[in-house]
Amino acid sequence: MEVLTAGSNADLLIEQSVVFNPNVVVIADVNQYDKVQSALDPLDIKVYTGDAIGEVVSMEQIDIVLTALVGYAGLLPTINAIKAGKDIALANKETLVVAGDIVTALAKEHGVNIYPVDSEHSAIFQCLIGEFHNPVEKLILTASGGPFRGQNEEFLKSVKKSDALKHPNWDMGAKVTIDSATLMNKGLEVIEATWLFGIPAEKIEVLVHPQSIIHSMVQFEDGSIKAQLGLPDMKLPIQFALSYPRRLKSDFPRMNFADYPQLTFEQPDVQTFRNLALAYEALNRGGNVPCILNAANEIAVSEFLKERIGFLEMSDVVETCLSKIPYITSPCYEDYVETDKETRIKAIEIIS
Ligand code: MG
């Protein structure tokens, strides 16, 4: 491994550096630099800080960049890596949500492959292997439904941050866990799927599957459906993005069908969990609207985590921003930057 990066979690970065022995590490938080530097200096690991995250991605020794930053922050480093001709293992779905047109066009221009790390998209990618010339009739994105599946508005009004952070199947960061509880995560994933696989919104269906064993499915024009299954664990999709087209032998726990005698399915409740409907609306309107959706949601989630707004108000913030921020049909990169900034200001204004 060449480079390992972190935002502000110095301890974990040091711990991982000792195990993986990269040549370079970047700690984005300048205040943590001295700590990391003094810990890794004896190991002969170079330490950088600040904006270096945007620059190390173009280092000559790198073949593939795993982008796992959270939110809009992942956009620029991903663009830099693509411009430097590096293949991308994409864990940062917001990059494609915000500027999917620019990112995919750049990837094409620079001959760069984007391998999905998101488990649903990895599943679809795996189902599509050997099928690249066969048209897709429908993608079926599965969703666990999150911790509040089946609950009504009355219940959701009083939901607390600690309840929303308890995901039934997946162990993930705070942002994506809240997004899973509101179904925004699935909405962002619909948009992500559109750009990764070139499939329009009307051919992408969301299906709630509480056990998270089927990670997603593809239906072809002859009616055949292919699915990818396994235990809910991110190790496999991460590994496959890095090892494609090979499958590396692993000792990850195996799924045993007898442990799951019932795999169940239901329609998502988009009346109660409005974020999924809002994401489809953003995708259908196109232009800078998905960028607005994402920025408004990032603010809404962060304000919910600070306990300044309630669970249902997160959708209100997103919906209001979608109607208030001016529409741009074919945004350039600067338009996305401006839209993101403007939306964040508007979202804060709505909340306060
Ligand atoms: Mg996912």
Side-chain angles (χ1 to χ4, degrees):
M1 182 189 295
E2 277 296 323
V3 183
L4 203 53
T5 72
S8 58
N9 194 340
D11 292 328
L12 188 59
L13 180 63
I14 293 166
E15 196 186 309
Q16 292 183 344
S17 300
V18 170
V19 176
F20 297 106
N21 195 32
N23 288 324
V24 172
V25 305
V26 182
I27 179 85
D29 183 351
V30 182
N31 298 319
Q32 303 291 329
Y33 174 79
D34 288 342
K35 183 179 184 180
V36 178
Q37 159 68 23
S38 56
L40 299 183
D41 191 49
L43 300 175
D44 210 18
I45 296 173
K46 290 188 224 48
V47 181
Y48 299 115
T49 187
D51 292 338
I53 279 194
E55 290 159 30
V56 287
V57 293
S58 52
M59 281 169 50
E60 208 183 312
Q61 306 90 310
I62 294 177
D63 310 308
I64 185 162
V65 176
L66 174 77
T67 66
L69 283 94
V70 178
Y72 176 84
L75 179 59
L76 191 57
T78 307
I79 287 179
N80 287 347
I82 293 172
K83 283 182 174 166
K86 312 298 184 190
D87 282 340
I88 304 291
L90 189 80
N92 171 257
K93 65 194 82 184
E94 291 91 344
T95 289
L96 287 180
V97 171
V98 170
D101 52 346
I102 291 182
V103 172
T104 50
L106 268 177
K108 210 169 181 185
E109 186 188 330
H110 293 271
V112 158
N113 294 308
I114 301 179
Y115 300 111
V117 170
D118 213 342
S119 60
E120 294 78 0
H121 305 75
S122 176
I124 291 167
F125 180 53
Q126 293 179 57
C127 293
L128 287 171
I129 291 170
E131 304 279 3
F132 288 105
H133 297 287
N134 289 325
V136 166
E137 191 166 83
K138 185 161 84 175
L139 299 181
I140 304 166
L141 275 183
T142 52
S144 69
F148 308 133
R149 181 177 59 87
Q151 301 290 2
N152 59 20
E153 271 188 38
E154 207 40 51
F155 176 90
L156 293 173
K157 263 183 205 158
S158 56
V159 149
K160 290 276 161 290
K161 163 185 156 180
S162 54
D163 307 320
L165 283 172
K166 283 183 206 124
H167 195 279
N169 304 337
W170 295 93
D171 180 13
M172 309 175 288
K175 161 80 168 41
V176 59
T177 304
I178 300 300
D179 283 344
S180 296
T182 64
L183 290 197
M184 181 56 96
N185 183 53
K186 211 47 55 180
L188 300 178
E189 288 181 353
V190 169
I191 302 175
E192 182 186 12
T194 293
W195 290 112
L196 278 173
F197 305 113
I199 305 287
E202 65 271 19
K203 290 186 173 181
I204 305 177
E205 187 181 296
V206 171
L207 181 65
V208 174
H209 165 44
Q211 298 80 19
S212 298
I213 293 298
I214 297 181
H215 298 311
S216 276
M217 299 178 258
V218 178
Q219 181 175 314
F220 295 93
E221 286 188 326
D222 60 356
S224 178
I225 297 175
K226 284 170 88 174
Q228 189 263 335
L229 286 73
L231 292 173
D233 186 329
M234 286 308 295
K235 287 193 203 81
L236 182 88
I238 294 168
Q239 172 172 297
F240 190 67
L242 298 174
S243 71
Y244 174 84
R246 294 201 304 142
R247 290 188 180 276
L248 301 183
K249 191 173 167 61
S250 85
D251 55 5
F252 308 149
R254 285 359 187 198
M255 206 270 285
N256 179 357
F257 275 92
D259 293 337
Y260 293 87
Q262 286 200 63
L263 296 181
T264 61
F265 306 94
E266 55 196 76
Q267 292 300 320
D269 175 2
V270 292
Q271 257 78 48
T272 310
F273 298 89
R274 284 148 53 215
N275 278 352
L276 182 56
L278 292 172
Y280 269 101
E281 181 197 325
L283 182 55
N284 284 322
R285 285 172 63 196
N288 63 337
V289 186
C291 177
I292 300 170
L293 175 93
N294 178 69
N297 182 58
E298 285 192 26
I299 294 294
V301 171
S302 117
E303 295 297 294
F304 174 76
L305 287 171
K306 291 175 196 153
E307 300 183 312
R308 291 196 192 129
I309 57 171
F311 187 83
L312 292 172
E313 284 167 279
M314 287 190 274
S315 300
D316 297 338
V317 171
V318 173
E319 190 166 26
T320 310
C321 286
L322 288 184
S323 68
K324 292 269 158 77
I325 302 295
Y327 180 71
I328 305 172
T329 318
S330 307
C332 62
Y333 177 73
E334 287 72 24
D335 292 327
Y336 284 125
V337 173
E338 191 50 41
T339 297
D340 179 79
K341 209 165 92 188
E342 219 181 306
T343 306
R344 284 166 197 269
I345 294 168
K346 176 60 76 186
I348 294 282
E349 198 182 292
I350 295 164
I351 291 164
S352 50

